[in-house]
Amino acid sequence: MTPKGFAMEQVWLLLLLTIKVLSVTAQFNGYNCDANLHSRFPAERDINVFCGVQTITMKINFCTVLFSGYSETDLALNGKHGDAHCRGFINNNTFPAVVIFIINLSTLESCGNTLVVSSARGVNAYGNISVVQIGNVSGYIDTPDPPTIISYLPGLLYKFSCSYPLEYLVNNTQLASSSAAISVRENNGTFISTLNLLLYNDSTYSQQLLIPSTGLPLKTKIYAAVRATNLDGRWNVLMDYCYTTPSGNPSDDLRYDLFFSCDKDPQTTIIENGKSQMGRFSFEVFRFVKHKNQKMSTVFLHCVTKLCRADDCPFLVPICSHRERRDAGGRTTWRPQSTSGNAVITAGPIITRSDETPTNNSQLAQDGPPFQLNSVTSALISGVVILGITSVFFFVCSLTLLHRNWPNNSVLSGIRNPVFN
């Protein structure tokens, strides 16, 4: 090959590379994409779904959409291509660039998304027979069909779904702060961050309960409420099972039930359940017998709570009539089968005090009020005791010194040796 021909070949090669770069640049339109990574059709890994408390967020790789010959306006929820509210928007500040779709759970049906609540009666995660419900939100994102008979562009379809368990274990164990909530992870699909267990000291539920440093007197009535906040109005709160333990562990072997289904403690009153986004009940403070040698007893409150659709709640609330309360003595060895995946809200103990005072034999022998010592008498008695202890100490020391200085009898006694005569 002549030098001139070789030079022409290099020029053509450079020209082809330039045309390819320009075509790729034109194809991605300056978006944050990599031609080596994103010159392909979409795959399953190109969509990420985040199931949140109030919204569901989808992020779609926009680079592969561009490579397929579409723009962001061609993507829409559930075929609603004519509705601007059902389209996404581009975020070019990430790599790769993405199209973001946000579904508000309060208006999820507006773009054709579906909510299916399935329920089945069986043993739940806490070992009790109950109706377990799962809420599933699903839909898809696609591109429009062309008006022609044939097309050389691939049709894009992204499916998504989020499942929300509708039963939770909610604890409130600190009456000083009265409520607590945990933050939700965007990928676990749970409503637990919207549930709070609140404690009040009056039936109007206006004054939150504060525990004095000395504890609450026995039989003090406490008003408890499981409340949902920042939650779609289609859901109501249904308290399924509330119980207490002497420790903060909801799986404690020792526990006492306040109510489960139609079985209820006589001192517990269910005020409202399954009718709104707040479930309310009251109970009287007690102490665990295992704390008999302690001045104060700790009581931890736990509630298994469901979220049910307002139309379904009346069918889930148990119908109770003349049901006998279960024997408490036979229910103190319960242990949940599994607590994995259940969010627990924990903040501290409910402290109760025992008003009993210890009685000794001298008090039983007295007919009148017990004798009380004043500060002067106490000081004199303390001085006499200290002086007596000091005297005994010096007496023992004196005996020890005398014993050391006394002649050794073993040296002076014995048989005389005749050699020394």
Side-chain angles (χ1 to χ4, degrees):
M1 181 181 293
T2 62
K4 184 176 181 180
F6 181 74
M8 289 296 296
E9 184 178 354
Q10 287 184 331
V11 171
W12 279 108
L13 182 60
L14 182 62
L15 181 61
L16 289 174
L17 291 174
T18 303
I19 293 174
K20 183 177 180 180
V21 171
L22 291 176
S23 62
V24 171
T25 304
Q27 183 180 23
F28 290 123
N29 297 325
Y31 287 104
N32 198 4
C33 302
D34 188 334
N36 296 323
L37 298 176
H38 304 128
S39 296
R40 58 177 177 81
F41 293 122
E44 185 178 352
R45 65 180 182 272
D46 290 327
I47 180 173
N48 292 318
V49 181
F50 303 89
C51 304
V53 175
Q54 300 179 20
T55 60
I56 298 176
T57 304
M58 284 84 64
K59 296 182 179 181
I60 296 176
N61 187 338
F62 185 50
C63 299
T64 56
V65 174
L66 287 174
F67 180 81
S68 302
Y70 295 99
S71 66
E72 75 279 4
T73 57
D74 294 323
L75 296 174
L77 286 165
N78 305 297
K80 304 288 184 179
H81 298 281
D83 191 344
H85 295 91
C86 300
R87 298 174 186 164
F89 60 91
I90 298 177
N91 181 7
N92 198 34
N93 295 324
T94 62
F95 180 82
V98 294
V99 181
I100 299 177
F101 289 83
I102 298 178
I103 300 175
N104 195 319
L105 292 181
S106 61
T107 58
L108 61 88
E109 291 94 345
S110 60
C111 288
N113 304 293
T114 59
L115 170 64
V116 177
V117 178
S118 58
S119 59
R121 190 168 183 83
V123 180
N124 61 14
Y126 308 94
N128 296 318
I129 301 296
S130 179
V131 177
V132 181
Q133 288 193 318
I134 298 292
N136 183 271
V137 179
S138 61
Y140 62 90
I141 300 171
D142 67 347
T143 53
D145 294 329
T148 59
I149 298 177
I150 65 171
S151 174
Y152 293 98
L153 296 178
L156 305 185
L157 177 65
Y158 304 88
K159 295 183 179 181
F160 65 89
S161 66
C162 287
S163 294
Y164 294 87
L166 302 182
E167 184 174 72
Y168 308 96
L169 176 61
V170 183
N171 303 300
N172 179 21
T173 50
Q174 181 182 9
L175 302 189
S177 63
S178 297
S179 67
I182 64 172
S183 60
V184 67
R185 294 186 306 169
E186 284 295 303
N187 60 352
N188 65 358
T190 175
F191 290 120
I192 190 63
S193 65
T194 65
L195 296 177
N196 296 272
L197 182 53
L198 309 174
L199 298 169
Y200 300 85
N201 59 9
D202 63 331
S203 58
T204 62
Y205 287 83
S206 58
Q207 297 180 357
Q208 293 193 11
L209 183 64
L210 296 178
I211 297 182
S213 59
T214 57
L216 296 172
L218 296 176
K219 296 189 70 64
T220 298
K221 181 168 285 190
I222 292 179
Y223 295 86
V226 178
R227 184 176 64 184
T229 56
N230 299 322
L231 187 62
D232 183 3
R234 79 186 73 201
W235 304 104
N236 283 355
V237 169
L238 178 62
M239 300 177 298
D240 189 36
Y241 175 40
C242 289
Y243 64 99
T244 58
T245 60
S247 69
N249 180 14
S251 303
D252 197 323
D253 290 335
L254 181 62
R255 54 101 197 192
Y256 185 79
D257 294 356
L258 295 181
F259 64 87
F260 169 63
S261 187
C262 290
D263 299 318
K264 184 176 64 67
D265 174 78
Q267 309 303 324
T268 301
T269 302
I270 300 176
I271 301 173
E272 180 182 6
N273 195 18
K275 297 181 179 180
S276 66
Q277 293 193 347
M278 177 182 289
R280 298 181 297 167
F281 67 96
S282 65
F283 66 98
E284 292 184 359
V285 167
F286 54 86
R287 67 178 180 88
F288 282 95
V289 178
K290 67 176 295 184
H291 297 153
K292 62 181 179 180
N293 295 326
Q294 302 176 12
K295 292 183 178 180
M296 296 185 181
S297 176
T298 55
V299 178
F300 290 78
L301 178 62
H302 317 277
C303 281
V304 178
T305 304
K306 297 177 181 178
L307 296 178
C308 55
R309 288 189 297 189
D311 296 336
D312 296 337
C313 281
F315 301 100
L316 298 176
V317 176
I319 301 176
C320 307
S321 59
H322 305 291
R323 289 288 303 273
E324 294 184 359
R325 179 178 173 271
R326 290 177 296 174
D327 178 40
R331 297 181 289 117
T332 57
T333 58
W334 171 89
R335 181 189 299 273
Q337 296 178 354
S338 172
T339 57
S340 60
N342 299 308
V344 178
I345 300 174
T346 304
I350 301 173
I351 302 175
T352 63
R353 70 170 185 264
S354 175
D355 294 329
E356 298 177 356
T357 56
T359 304
N360 54 36
N361 293 333
S362 62
Q363 289 177 331
L364 292 175
Q366 294 176 358
D367 295 331
F371 176 75
Q372 297 182 353
L373 299 178
N374 55 31
S375 58
V376 177
T377 305
S378 300
L380 290 176
I381 293 176
S382 300
V384 171
V385 172
I386 293 174
L387 182 59
I389 294 174
T390 304
S391 301
V392 172
F393 175 78
F394 280 111
F395 178 76
V396 172
C397 291
S398 300
L399 290 179
T400 303
L401 292 176
L402 289 174
H403 180 72
R404 289 181 178 179
N405 295 329
W406 199 264
N408 194 339
N409 294 330
S410 62
V411 177
L412 298 178
S413 61
I415 301 174
R416 182 177 181 83
N417 191 342
V419 178
F420 293 101
N421 291 331

